[in-house]
Amino acid sequence: MAEDPQRNFRSVYYEKVGFRGVEEKRSLEILLKDDRLDIEKLCTFSQRFPLPSMYRTLVWKVLLGILPPHHESHSFVMKYRKEQYKDIYHALQVIRFIKDSTPQVEVFLRIHQLESGKLPRSSSYPLEPEDEIFLAIAKAMEEMVDDNVDCYWLVSSFVNQLNNKYKDSLPLLPKILEQYLNLEDSRLLAHLKTCSAMARLPYNLWFRKCFASCLPESSLQKVWDKVISGSCKILVFVAIEILLTFKMKLMVLNSAEKIGQFLENIPQDNTDAIVSKAIELWHKHCGTPAHSV
């Protein structure tokens, strides 16, 4: 009987990280039962395989540093984080930056601003571009995470990761996108260049907002698995797959403005397939080394 390449690949991987002949979910359960969680193995797993939804919030909290690796500290740390959240929430109420009717994502923004020393002098001040990014990510995260305290810390830590760990990498992604698109479909790239559309692609939506408000949450969380576990380059391949998927539509559009408008509002009916193909393309070109940006 011929060997199953996928099964063989898994066997090699599990042997490397200490598991053999078990399903992905079971192997993750084993990882999560360790007294001290192995961050490197969690990153590797998250980059190799989709995270089961029932474990996603926990893994994200560990990878983002919201929870420490040691299990016995989790309850204490989350108790402290809940108290910290409540204290800042109360302070913002006292200074009248928020009230009971304030939308939850705006509450998250004000807490984050106060935490980072960037709270404006008045709540009536216009939002900065970085605030718009925070709100977009917060709106998406709110659909994924039920608990407000968990949601806030995930959003805040994720945004901090983008602003710190990926600060130098994110500005390079448009150029990287062009390089890989040339390898995948040079004709499409030539058309986009002819229309002067490359500079008008929605890079802010794709890369700064990590596709929040572009992809539905069911697809988005699979992309964020990879970003949170160490690779912002996955964003490039999601963008490329969007371009390839809608190639026929894009080829008949002849202006940068029309192309940009279409890509900012892509149809939502096949985004799971787009993300799956993007992950395959990412594996093809980059492999999955842990913490690869």
Side-chain angles (χ1 to χ4, degrees), residues 33-34 39 57 75 90 111 123 133 135 160 169-170 179 185 206 208 217-218 242 252 263-264 280:
K33 286 180 180 178
D34 288 346
I39 304 300
T57 298
S75 296
H90 178 68
I111 293 176
S123 59
I133 292 171
L135 288 173
N160 286 338
S169 300
L170 290 175
Q179 293 170 354
D185 197 320
W206 289 350
R208 297 301 304 177
E217 286 67 33
S218 60
I242 288 174
V252 299
L263 292 173
E264 287 178 0
E280 291 177 5

Side-chain angles (χ1 to χ4, degrees), residues 34 53 61 71 109 145 235 246:
D34 288 346
S53 57
K61 285 196 290 186
H71 274 292
L109 173 62
V145 181
L235 302 172
F246 298 108

Side-chain angles (χ1 to χ4, degrees), residues 111-179:
I111 293 176
H112 179 73
Q113 288 176 328
L114 188 57
E115 278 269 292
S116 58
K118 296 181 179 179
L119 189 70
R121 293 184 178 182
S122 170
S123 59
S124 62
Y125 277 30
L127 295 175
E128 298 289 337
E130 64 185 54
D131 299 330
E132 299 286 359
I133 292 171
F134 185 98
L135 288 173
I137 291 174
K139 287 176 183 177
M141 190 72 79
E142 190 180 30
E143 295 297 318
M144 303 177 195
V145 181
D146 294 330
D147 184 84
N148 286 338
V149 176
D150 281 350
C151 189
Y152 166 71
W153 287 110
L154 283 168
V155 174
S156 181
S157 300
F158 187 29
V159 169
N160 286 338
Q161 183 190 52
L162 297 176
N163 292 338
N164 296 304
K165 180 176 181 178
Y166 297 138
K167 179 181 179 180
D168 296 329
S169 300
L170 290 175
L172 303 178
L173 297 188
K175 187 64 177 178
I176 295 174
L177 182 150
E178 183 175 331
Q179 293 170 354

Side-chain angles (χ1 to χ4, degrees), residues 56 136 139-144 212-213 215-224 268 271-272:
R56 179 169 279 113
K139 287 176 183 177
M141 190 72 79
E142 190 180 30
E143 295 297 318
M144 303 177 195
S213 73
L215 299 176
E217 286 67 33
S218 60
S219 303
L220 187 61
Q221 58 192 0
K222 298 172 186 176
V223 178
W224 287 6
Q268 302 286 292
T271 55
D272 280 347

Side-chain angles (χ1 to χ4, degrees), residues 12-31:
V12 172
Y13 163 69
Y14 286 129
E15 182 174 358
K16 181 178 179 182
V17 298
F19 307 112
R20 295 181 183 178
V22 293
E23 295 299 323
E24 291 98 316
K25 180 180 176 182
R26 177 58 181 158
S27 69
L28 181 59
E29 289 173 347
I30 293 172
L31 275 175

